[in-house]
Amino acid sequence: MDYTVKNNNIIVHEKDFGLDDTLDCGQAFRWKKIKSDYKCTYTGFFLNNRLTVSQVSDDEFIFHDTSEKDFLEKWFNYFDFGTDYSELKRTFSEDETLAKACEFAGGIRLLRQDSWECLISFIISQNNNIPRIKGIIDRLCAKYGGFPSSAELADETPESLAYLRSGFRAKYICDAIDCVNSRKVNLAEIAEMPIEYARKSLKIIKGVGDKVAECVLLFGMYRTEAFPVDVWIRRVLVEYYSNGFPEFQHAGIAQQYLFHYIRNKDK
DNA sequence: CGCCAGGACGCCC
DNA sequence: GGGCGTCATGGC
């Protein structure tokens, strides 16, 4: 990765990176594609830092109205620019199916998201579909002027959250708020725990089962050994890996390629 | 109308 | 331990 500062923008050159692949693959829910004269442009947030970013070509990107300081302190890490995805994909591609998946959407990167936002987002995701997940999170952020902290949400009840239309998940959101505010669950500590303890700790929260815990670990804590199995990945495992899934370092990142592949390959 | 969506819980055996 | 009905909501 290399970058140059130009006016108020940061121009980034990076291979193995695509905005559509990365920002519209179901790992983050607050990025919106907007009209532009570039290949594509998205606007969205990390915590409550807004960014508008455009893809100019296969390997050129514009981070609009971004200082060098903000780029290096926030966005470099968020987009995981410190990781060599060429090398990762080379390793994954020893597997036949993963080779196809990496070829299909080679621009996917694992975003380093905020653990709290991730926890709430993936509680909302259960037995739900991506457009509706985005809608619920939109309504939450609209009310609070950004993604609310657990402290801001302290007085919410399932009834007061009715406007979200999140259905049976509202009581789970409230339990997550209570667990974090009472320090029964400490996300910063969980992020550093051995993975089995981290899983158990997250599952203290009602509405957090195996799959949601795995998503929080992978997307919100950059625990790349976490491997969420949802209905789509279950299909991949049945269809292509009846003899078991091979051992990979950073298997969670491989999971992202597979998830995107199985959902979109027939389109 | 039924089926499905980045599932988890409660209850049953 | 595994199996099954239920839980809101909205798009198709």
Side-chain angles (χ1 to χ4, degrees), chain A residues 165-182:
Chain A
R165 303 200 297 282
S166 64
F168 61 88
R169 306 165 192 86
K171 57 182 178 293
Y172 298 151
I173 295 171
C174 289
D175 195 55
I177 295 165
D178 293 341
C179 284
V180 168
N181 284 338
S182 69

Side-chain angles (χ1 to χ4, degrees), chain A residues 13-28:
Chain A
H13 288 93
E14 171 73 333
K15 292 179 181 171
D16 307 297
F17 179 38
L19 294 186
D20 285 327
D21 288 350
T22 297
L23 298 177
D24 194 24
C25 70
Q27 61 174 321

Side-chain angles (χ1 to χ4, degrees):
Chain A
M1 205 278 308
D2 67 81
Y3 70 93
T4 54
V5 181
K6 197 169 174 184
N7 302 323
N8 290 325
N9 305 324
I10 306 293
I11 312 297
V12 172
H13 288 93
E14 171 73 333
K15 292 179 181 171
D16 307 297
F17 179 38
L19 294 186
D20 285 327
D21 288 350
T22 297
L23 298 177
D24 194 24
C25 70
Q27 61 174 321
F29 303 105
R30 291 175 70 202
W31 291 95
K32 295 185 199 313
K33 194 169 190 169
I34 60 176
K35 285 192 175 174
S36 74
D37 294 331
Y38 301 105
K39 268 186 88 172
C40 62
T41 298
Y42 284 80
T43 183
F45 298 88
F46 164 58
L47 293 172
N48 287 325
N49 306 295
R50 177 185 271 285
L51 172 68
T52 299
V53 56
S54 296
Q55 180 158 7
V56 180
S57 67
D58 280 350
D59 63 351
E60 185 175 333
F61 304 84
I62 304 175
F63 286 64
H64 299 276
D65 299 316
T66 302
S67 69
E68 184 172 14
K69 182 170 182 290
D70 276 355
F71 177 72
L72 292 175
E73 287 182 0
K74 294 167 185 160
W75 302 113
F76 183 95
N77 189 56
Y78 181 78
F79 286 101
D80 202 20
F81 284 143
T83 298
D84 182 353
Y85 278 74
S86 296
E87 178 58 29
L88 270 180
K89 287 191 287 181
R90 205 166 8 253
T91 309
F92 294 155
S93 295
E94 291 169 13
D95 176 84
E96 193 182 334
T97 305
L98 265 169
K100 284 187 220 162
C102 291
E103 179 72 21
F104 182 78
I108 292 178
R109 307 179 75 90
L110 182 62
L111 299 169
R112 295 184 186 243
Q113 300 182 70
D114 174 65
S115 57
W116 167 250
E117 178 174 333
C118 226
L119 171 62
I120 298 302
S121 297
F122 281 92
I123 285 173
I124 292 167
S125 80
Q126 68 175 262
N127 197 32
N128 213 339
N129 57 62
I130 292 174
R132 224 174 74 80
I133 297 164
K134 289 181 176 174
I136 292 167
I137 294 172
D138 271 353
R139 290 189 282 278
L140 179 64
C141 293
K143 174 165 179 183
Y144 282 92
F147 201 96
S149 66
S150 61
E152 290 177 279
L153 292 167
D155 294 330
E156 295 288 4
T157 63
E159 293 71 32
S160 72
L161 292 177
Y163 72 96
L164 293 178
R165 303 200 297 282
S166 64
F168 61 88
R169 306 165 192 86
K171 57 182 178 293
Y172 298 151
I173 295 171
C174 289
D175 195 55
I177 295 165
D178 293 341
C179 284
V180 168
N181 284 338
S182 69
R183 311 212 180 276
K184 201 192 311 180
V185 169
N186 185 321
L187 296 178
E189 287 178 5
I190 289 172
E192 305 300 325
M193 286 180 190
I195 191 103
E196 282 304 331
Y197 291 103
R199 288 178 172 127
K200 274 186 192 161
S201 300
L202 284 169
K203 284 157 71 173
I204 290 171
I205 301 165
K206 272 195 191 251
V208 177
D210 292 331
K211 194 270 175 178
V212 171
E214 231 45 23
C215 285
V216 174
L217 284 161
L218 180 62
F219 302 127
M221 298 175 175
Y222 202 76
R223 296 296 294 266
T224 59
E225 70 271 47
F227 194 91
V229 177
D230 69 333
V231 293
W232 295 97
I233 292 296
R234 209 171 294 286
R235 285 171 202 164
V236 172
L237 295 178
V238 169
E239 197 170 333
Y240 299 103
Y241 298 100
S242 49
N243 295 323
F245 191 73
E247 294 272 333
F248 281 113
Q249 239 188 339
H250 311 300
I253 298 180
Q255 187 268 12
Q256 273 305 99
Y257 291 104
L258 289 173
F259 176 75
H260 195 278
Y261 179 60
I262 193 71
R263 289 185 73 226
N264 298 300
K265 68 183 173 70
D266 294 328
K267 288 180 189 169

